[in-house]
């Protein structure tokens, strides 16, 4: 009985946090006043200095490792994104990139069932032969919203990745208001994922999305309503997100309170943030690393870009508050309408918008 009371209390607390998080920041997102800017800069600094991770001395080949939320798993500060691996013209070069990353100290690998029509998973599966699977914390994602579609996609991903276990499976592109209810419905995707977890095919469960922090909060609230807590959440965290419809401001505090692993992505907003000329690649990576992220996932389609990510992780040091303020000041004007965060403001990055059949 006490356990049930405690569980209900925790769920009530999460609902309260979600309600506060979605309401408190409404006004802050409407304009970029000096007072508002300094306010969210201060909030970023507080989060940046929250000591929720493993000691900086814990590293492998110079790559810092952090704890993946309440899972207790140790993951590399930088993770290797799967999408760009499938865009590389030479499949063998993709394999070299993956293995060089693993040999260089990265252990977190990102992928998805739909990336490049499965080519990204196929290449990663080939790269994980010859003992490399043991070096990797392997994550992939599915699009299916029904139990039938999700089951088929899980099994196909396992086959392509040439493994009997995916360490972290995430619901991909939670970008519609209808997604949370579909996933948690009777006959929905969660049933397939829980069955796969029980069968030992997957270990941990999370979700991703890039469209709106409010939809992330809705997904977390729906999970709480069903007495379910995600192990991880993946979302855009970058120097421009802090200014516009911000995941950092709205979602990150809720994840930290619940000890849910934070997966940062879109450090460069694909290439658009770099195109704005307001921040360098290393500044973008270091800003995301400076947040209480478990891992910052970045796409690497060549060995030089991989080396840039490795160097950024090895050289990372906690940023001073003045450094954070300076970087946010440089990016504020360019970020204010979301023109360099097209994943929020357009359908350019919405694979399931162009291919609704993937949802089931």
């Amino acid at each position: 009985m006490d356990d049930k009371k405690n569980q209900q209390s925790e769920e009530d607390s999460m609902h309260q946090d979600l309600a506060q998080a979605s309401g408190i920041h409404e006004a802050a997102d409407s304009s970029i006043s000096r007072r508002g800017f300094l306010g969210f800069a201060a909030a970023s600094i507080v989060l940046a200095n929250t000591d929720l991770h493993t000691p900086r001395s814990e590293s492998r080949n110079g790559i810092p490792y952090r704890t993946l939320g309440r899972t207790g798993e140790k993951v590399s500060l930088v993770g290797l994104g799967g999408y760009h691996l499938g865009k590389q013209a030479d499949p063998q070069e993709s394999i070299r990139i993956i293995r060089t990353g693993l040999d260089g100290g990265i252990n977190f690998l990102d992928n998805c069932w739909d990336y490049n029509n499965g080519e990204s998973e196929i290449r990663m599966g080939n790269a994980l032969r010859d003992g490399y699977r043991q070096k990797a914390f392997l994550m992939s994602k599915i699009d299916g919203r029904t139990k039938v579609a999700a089951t088929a996609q899980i099994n196909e991903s396992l086959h392509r990745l040439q493994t009997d276990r995916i360490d972290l499976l995430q619901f991909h592109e939670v970008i519609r208001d209808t997604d949370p209810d579909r996933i948690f419905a009777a006959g929905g995707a969660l049933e397939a994922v829980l069955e796969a977890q029980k069968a030992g095919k997957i270990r941990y469960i999370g979700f991703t999305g890039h469209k709106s922090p409010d939809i992330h909060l809705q997904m977390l609230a729906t999970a709480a309503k069903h007495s379910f807590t995600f192990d991880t959440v993946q979302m855009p965290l970058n120097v421009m997100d802090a200014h516009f419809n911000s995941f950092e401001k709205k979602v990150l505090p809720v994840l930290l309170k619940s000890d849910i692993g934070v997966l940062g992505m879109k450090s460069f907003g694909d290439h658009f943030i770099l195109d704005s000329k307001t921040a360098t690649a290393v500044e973008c990576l270091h800003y995301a690393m400076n947040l209480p992220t478990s891992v910052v996932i970045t796409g690497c389609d060549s060995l030089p870009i991989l080396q840039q990510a490795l160097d950024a992780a090895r050289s990372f040091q906690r940023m001073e508050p003045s450094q954070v303020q300076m970087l946010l000041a440089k990016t504020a004007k360019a970020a204010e309408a979301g023109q360099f965060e097209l994943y929020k403001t357009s359908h350019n990055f919405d694979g399931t918008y162009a291919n609704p059949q993937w949802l089931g």
Side-chain angles (χ1 to χ4, degrees):
M1 182 65 72
D2 289 341
D3 289 341
K4 288 184 178 179
K5 287 181 179 178
N6 289 338
Q7 183 181 42
Q8 186 62 47
S9 176
E10 289 175 2
E11 291 172 16
D12 290 344
S13 176
M14 176 175 272
H15 281 300
Q16 291 170 3
D17 292 338
L18 292 168
Q20 291 173 359
S22 61
I24 286 174
H25 301 293
E26 289 287 323
D29 282 331
S30 63
S31 64
I32 304 294
S33 66
R34 176 174 172 77
R35 180 177 298 178
F37 164 67
L38 292 176
F40 64 68
S44 298
I45 296 163
V46 170
L47 289 172
N49 288 307
T50 304
D51 187 12
L52 297 173
H53 306 300
T54 54
R56 261 184 283 172
S57 59
E58 183 171 352
S59 66
R60 301 178 194 175
N61 286 352
I63 304 296
Y65 270 58
R66 291 178 177 174
T67 303
L68 185 63
R70 59 195 173 83
T71 71
E73 299 286 343
K74 305 300 186 195
V75 291
S76 49
L77 176 55
V78 66
L80 186 58
Y83 179 78
H84 290 78
L85 294 167
K87 301 299 287 186
Q88 160 61 236
D90 179 7
Q92 292 305 312
E93 186 70 0
S94 297
I95 292 173
R96 280 190 287 273
I97 291 167
I98 295 166
R99 291 185 171 182
T100 301
L102 291 170
D103 289 338
I106 290 175
N107 78 333
F108 192 97
L109 300 183
D110 158 275
N111 221 310
C112 181
W113 171 84
D114 72 43
Y115 283 169
N116 301 294
N117 296 314
E119 183 65 19
S120 287
E121 286 190 329
I122 290 169
R123 294 182 183 187
M124 190 165 282
N126 289 333
L128 291 176
R129 293 175 178 174
D130 304 324
Y132 276 89
R133 175 66 184 91
Q134 287 68 43
K135 294 186 174 187
F137 184 91
L138 180 60
M139 179 268 278
S140 199
K141 319 178 196 82
I142 57 169
D143 299 310
R145 299 298 186 249
T146 67
K147 182 178 181 180
V148 172
T151 298
Q153 290 171 13
I154 291 168
N155 289 332
E156 192 165 7
S157 288
L158 287 165
H159 176 72
R160 292 170 180 164
L161 292 165
Q162 302 182 42
T163 185
D164 58 4
R165 185 195 74 250
I166 294 171
D167 295 301
L168 170 61
L169 188 79
Q170 300 195 108
F171 298 105
H172 188 223
E173 285 196 4
V174 177
I175 58 175
R176 290 159 287 263
D177 291 334
T178 56
D179 284 336
D181 284 340
R182 288 198 69 189
I183 289 168
F184 281 89
L190 182 65
E191 291 184 6
V193 172
L194 290 175
E195 285 186 8
Q197 186 181 49
K198 186 175 181 180
K201 294 180 179 180
I202 65 173
R203 297 174 65 204
Y204 304 111
I205 302 169
F207 76 90
T208 85
H210 54 253
K211 188 62 64 185
S212 166
D214 294 331
I215 296 174
H216 267 54
L217 295 176
Q218 183 184 340
M219 185 68 161
L220 291 166
T222 302
K225 185 172 68 175
H226 288 82
S227 302
F228 182 84
T229 303
F230 286 102
D231 297 306
T232 63
V233 171
Q234 184 170 335
M235 58 190 182
L237 292 170
N238 58 56
V239 295
M240 290 197 175
D241 168 77
H243 301 291
F244 176 79
N245 203 19
S246 176
F247 287 87
E248 176 186 332
K249 289 157 56 180
K250 288 187 172 183
V251 182
L252 186 54
V254 177
L255 302 184
L256 296 178
K257 181 161 186 180
S258 300
D259 200 16
I260 294 172
V262 179
L263 310 183
M265 66 173 172
K266 302 196 184 303
S267 302
F268 308 144
D270 194 29
H271 58 84
F272 294 103
I273 292 176
L274 296 180
D275 290 347
S276 75
K277 307 298 184 184
T278 59
T280 68
V282 173
E283 284 176 329
C284 288
L285 288 170
H286 281 177
Y287 179 88
M289 293 172 181
N290 200 57
L291 296 170
T293 43
S294 299
V295 57
V296 174
I297 300 165
T298 186
C300 298
D301 57 4
S302 69
L303 287 170
I305 295 298
L306 170 64
Q307 191 60 53
Q308 173 182 265
L310 291 169
D311 290 345
R314 289 171 179 150
S315 65
F316 172 72
Q317 294 183 342
R318 287 289 177 191
M319 296 169 67
E320 295 295 329
S322 59
Q323 293 175 289
V324 175
Q325 290 178 353
M326 187 180 303
L327 193 50
L328 289 174
K330 288 199 304 179
T331 57
K333 181 64 177 175
E336 63 185 8
Q339 63 265 41
F340 295 104
E341 291 188 274
L342 296 183
Y343 47 87
K344 292 179 181 176
T345 59
S346 75
H347 289 302
N348 292 16
F349 292 81
D350 303 346
T352 52
Y353 177 83
N355 298 278
Q357 70 275 13
W358 294 346
L359 301 172

